[in-house]
Structures are given as C-alpha cells and as structure tokens.
Amino acid sequence: GAFGFVRASLAPPLAAALAARISAQAAAAQATQAEGRGAQQHRVLSSGALGSLLDGIVHLVSPAQSQQVLAALRPLILDLARSGSLRVGTMYSIIGAHAHLQVRDAELFDAVCAGVAEELAQPSSVLRAERLLVSLGMLNASPERLLLHIDGALLELAPRLTLQEAGQALLAMGVLGFRHVSQRTVAVLLGRARELCLERPPGPRDAARLAAFAHAHDVHSLGPASGDACLAGFAGAQAVAPHKLEPPPPPGLLREVFRALERSFGAGRVAFGRCLHGFQVDLLLSQSGDADTGARASMAIEVDGPRRFYHGSRDLTGLCRLKESALRSEFGGLVRVGFWEWPPEAAQQDAFLRARLEACGFPAEAARTRGS
C-alpha cells in the first residue's frame, strides 16, 4: 500500500513475484475458508487491508499481473461483501481497481453494492462520490442503488468540484445513458461547469469531455444542451485544440488500414482524425474525391486495439460506445476493424475492407479497380 500511495514503481521481477505471492496467499486463504477453518478469515484480510492492497497493486505491477491479482482476490471480496464486513471506502477501491484495469464483473459489483447498502446512508460515504461515478462510467456499470446514492451526494458536492471533476462526472453520466440520475443533478453539475468555464476557458481535455457530454445529453432528449451558448463554446474549443478522449488505435494497424483504403479507393479519399463531439474519427472515407466534405456521404472507420474493449471480452468500453453513437449520428455509416480480425496479406486486407464497407452500405462502385 505504501508503494502504491507514493506511486513508486517496482522492477519487473519484483512486481511479478509480488503479484504471484498475493495470488497464492489469496488462494490459500480461500481454501482454508472452504475447509471450514476460516473463522478468523476477516482478520487475515480485513476490509481496510483489502482497500489498501487494491489501491497500491494497480500502480505497482503490470495490467496483466493486476488482473491476475483481481481474479485471485475475487472469492475473498465476495465473502467480505456477503458477510457484511465490507466498508464503503473499500467498495470505492474495488470498483476503482476494476475500472482502471477495464475488468467488468456484474456479479461482483452487485454483491459489493449490496454489502455496503446500510453504510451508504451515512454522510461520510459521499466524500468521493464523483470519483465513484467516473469509475462506474469507465465500466459502463449502472447499479441502481449505488447510482441513486451518488445522485444525491453530487447535489451536496457540486459547489466544491473543479472543472475537471465536474466534466468527468458529466461525461460518466452521458456514458451511462443518464440511468438513475435526476435531471436536477445534471442541471446542477452543468451549472457548475458553466460557472467555472466563464471564470477560465476550458483546456482541450475538459472541452472534449463537455462536448461529448453535450452530444449524449441531446441523444437522450434531456434538452438542447448543445444549443447552450456555453456548451457551444466547449465544442469550439475542442475543435481548435483537440484532445482524444478514447484510447488511440494501434499505430501500425492504423497505417495498414489507411494504406489498404488508399489502394482500393485512391489517394485523397481517406482522412485522419476529424474532431466530432469531443472525439476524433480514426479514419474517414469519402465517396467523392474530398474526404473533408459531405459527411453523410462518408464512412467513418474505427480501428480498434485491445484497450477499446473490456478485459477478456470483445465488448466495447462505454466511452467507445458513446463515440460510436456520435459517429453514427454524423456520417453515412460506421465500419469497425478489430485488431484480431485484420488479415496479414495486402490482397486479403483489400478484400476484407471492401466486403466490410459494402455490407455497411458504402457503394462498391466507389472502389477503383486495381491499377487504375
């Protein structure tokens, strides 16, 4: 915990040994409990110790090793939750660690939320509610009881939030589709963001978050947020100094997809990185010779690396799903190219893209014949 608190890093061999040791100890503790000798288990791994361990481990070892530790600790976390021994602070650490590592575990989240239900009513549990909301947004997880608690807590916290915190909270609400969030809370947070932006213009990252929130706000028919003069300014600032909210595509894969598109459709038809609603399009393919005009006649192409998916799945993260919504609202279609499905040979790549584009409605006649 101390190493994690100061964000110290460990040498790879030591980090691997630490992860293996924790996993082995967790497995041994679970085996002891299963044999009926675990009456003292909660003193071996208390709620507080678990929280400190999770806060530190994600900064000390690699993501793969941290995911290994989470899997080993899962039975003990469930036991703490079901026995009523879990504390709210530890619940924050559990959800935060899973968010950091992009590990979704609906069963675990439900058990953890149920295990701290009584303590959630206590005033002390609201202190970090905005951070918890951000973690839930990263996980695209919406446990009703927990979000209702956060909704009430944010009304009290809003006047003390920084622009970064308010923007992160608003974006998380948008990612979650505003489930279990009151319009009053949204309005209060939006008012706080507006107040802070009037004091000082938002930087690129804050502007991108608020532009993405404005898109989600409109999509869910909560009112014309993007028509607000202040929010329109957010979008303008993001266009001038763009910031990429979502994980970037793998550079090598992006280059290969770009080259394959140029081989099939010709130079000048493909563009990189257009800004839209707080996001940046990976690639944009136009039917005409100008990739910068005619949005409805253009196809957005997303080149997806592992970081755009939750661990151990091919489920897009909540933020990437929000980006997909923004792209579909603007362009004539959207094609996704996953890192696991990209062919190795140029001819196969060209055929893959043509088939994928045609299936999504991009006219086959737009492709040039080889050699033309």
Side-chain angles (χ1 to χ4, degrees), residues 10-274:
L10 297 180
L14 182 56
L18 176 63
R21 178 64 174 169
I22 293 171
S23 299
Q25 289 292 96
Q30 183 62 20
T32 298
Q33 180 179 338
E35 292 171 4
R37 296 184 283 114
Q40 305 300 316
Q41 177 61 37
H42 299 313
R43 279 182 275 193
V44 174
L45 185 67
S46 67
S47 180
L50 174 62
S52 297
L53 175 62
L54 290 172
D55 288 341
I57 198 67
V58 296
H59 301 290
L60 292 175
V61 302
S62 70
Q65 292 164 340
S66 297
Q67 289 154 357
Q68 171 193 339
V69 171
L70 278 188
L73 291 174
R74 186 180 189 274
L76 301 180
I77 294 172
L78 285 171
D79 181 70
L80 283 169
R82 291 166 179 166
S83 68
S85 302
L86 201 63
R87 304 275 70 86
V88 164
T90 305
M91 179 264 293
Y92 279 59
S93 297
I94 292 169
I95 293 178
H98 282 75
H100 182 81
L101 298 168
Q102 295 189 177
V103 177
R104 296 186 80 217
D105 189 336
E107 179 188 5
L108 181 74
F109 299 157
D110 288 342
V112 165
C113 293
V116 296
E118 292 186 9
E119 193 180 349
L120 281 176
Q122 303 301 317
S124 61
S125 66
V126 309
L127 296 178
R128 295 162 60 197
E130 78 285 353
R131 299 185 194 177
L132 182 58
L133 176 60
V134 171
S135 293
L136 291 173
M138 293 170 66
L139 292 164
N140 199 16
S142 52
E144 181 176 4
R145 184 180 300 174
L146 192 52
L147 284 172
L148 290 174
H149 161 74
I150 292 171
D151 183 69
L154 284 175
L155 291 174
E156 177 183 339
L157 289 170
R160 303 194 297 273
L161 295 181
T162 65
L163 180 58
Q164 175 181 328
E165 292 166 340
Q168 288 175 329
L170 287 167
L171 178 56
M173 289 178 177
V175 168
L176 295 173
F178 300 95
R179 293 188 292 273
H180 313 305
V181 176
S182 68
Q183 291 194 35
R184 180 188 176 195
T185 300
V186 175
V188 168
L189 279 180
L190 182 55
R192 176 60 176 167
R194 183 185 295 109
E195 173 190 352
L196 293 170
C197 286
L198 291 174
E199 292 176 2
R200 181 177 181 179
R205 181 175 298 185
D206 291 325
R209 291 190 187 109
L210 292 167
F213 157 76
H215 164 73
H217 197 278
D218 288 354
V219 166
H220 290 278
S221 303
L222 298 183
S226 60
D228 181 290
C230 191
L231 286 181
F234 301 159
Q238 196 267 336
V240 172
H243 175 82
K244 198 173 187 71
L245 286 174
E246 72 281 12
L253 179 58
L254 184 66
R255 285 193 297 271
E256 288 192 8
V257 174
F258 178 86
R259 289 168 183 161
L261 289 169
E262 284 205 322
R263 285 196 300 269
S264 291
F265 296 94
R269 302 277 294 278
V270 191
F272 285 106
R274 175 175 169 181

